[in-house]
Amino acid sequence: IHAVPCQYSRKFLEGVKEYIPAQTPILSVSKGIETTSLGFMADLLKEVLGEDRPLAFLSGPSFAREIIEGVATAVVIASED
């Protein structure tokens, strides 16, 4: 599970990619657009970890405060694999 904020993900992943086996699936829960490349997390993960890695993304209108308060929320996991 990758939960590093988008703006710090590239540097973090470049530092740990050699320790992640090539076929290890990655579930990204990070949101946003990288300001330096204007890329989404899908773009960033493929650039740093490689195109052939299984990727999935958690998305939806969920906010920690609302979850703690018991407000209903919905999320989805999407993947091409």
Side-chain angles (χ1 to χ4, degrees), residues 4-64:
V4 176
C6 186
Q7 303 311 316
Y8 305 99
S9 287
R10 183 178 299 275
K11 183 175 181 179
F12 171 79
L13 290 168
E14 287 174 348
V16 300
K17 68 182 177 182
E18 67 183 89
Y19 304 107
I20 306 171
Q23 290 305 309
T24 300
I26 304 293
L27 170 62
S28 176
V29 299
S30 300
K31 298 177 182 177
I33 297 173
E34 185 183 37
T35 56
T36 55
S37 69
L38 300 179
F40 294 107
M41 281 303 302
D43 304 317
L44 191 153
L45 288 167
K46 288 177 182 177
E47 287 174 17
V48 177
L49 299 179
E51 294 281 334
D52 296 329
R53 182 176 301 274
L55 301 173
F57 301 89
L58 182 89
S59 182
S62 60
F63 300 96

